[in-house]
Amino acid sequence: LTSKSWSRFWNLDTRYQARNFWFHILHHKLSYRRVLHKLLPYEYPSPLCPICSLSIEDEDHFIYRCLRK
């Protein structure tokens, strides 16, 4: 994104949580189970989605592929 686009993004009239979520999506820095399991296997023993337990929770599953979410 250009600097002008980022300025618009940060000046949007949105809640902090929503803006923070989109910032993490744009930078591919979401904390989903596959990453957490890789970094902290003792705390997150499984990479499966904690909601549906049907699929490994990657970025796509975390954002829009989990049908139960």
Side-chain angles (χ1 to χ4, degrees):
L1 295 173
T2 65
S3 61
K4 188 174 184 177
S5 297
W6 279 116
S7 293
R8 284 189 207 145
F9 174 78
W10 290 117
N11 290 320
L12 288 173
D13 186 25
T14 58
R15 291 182 14 189
Y16 169 78
Q17 293 89 346
R19 195 171 45 227
N20 191 35
F21 181 71
W22 278 105
F23 179 83
H24 281 83
I25 288 173
L26 291 171
H27 287 281
H28 303 284
K29 298 293 182 187
L30 290 173
S31 297
Y32 43 88
R33 286 292 170 122
R34 188 182 71 173
V35 171
L36 293 172
H37 173 68
K38 185 177 178 180
L39 296 173
L40 304 164
Y42 295 107
E43 289 187 47
Y44 300 93
S46 172
L48 292 177
C49 174
I51 296 173
C52 71
S53 299
L54 298 174
S55 178
I56 291 177
E57 188 180 54
D58 59 7
E59 189 171 1
D60 290 341
H61 186 83
F62 182 84
I63 296 171
Y64 56 85
R65 291 198 181 183
C66 183
L67 300 177
R68 292 187 65 197
K69 193 183 299 180

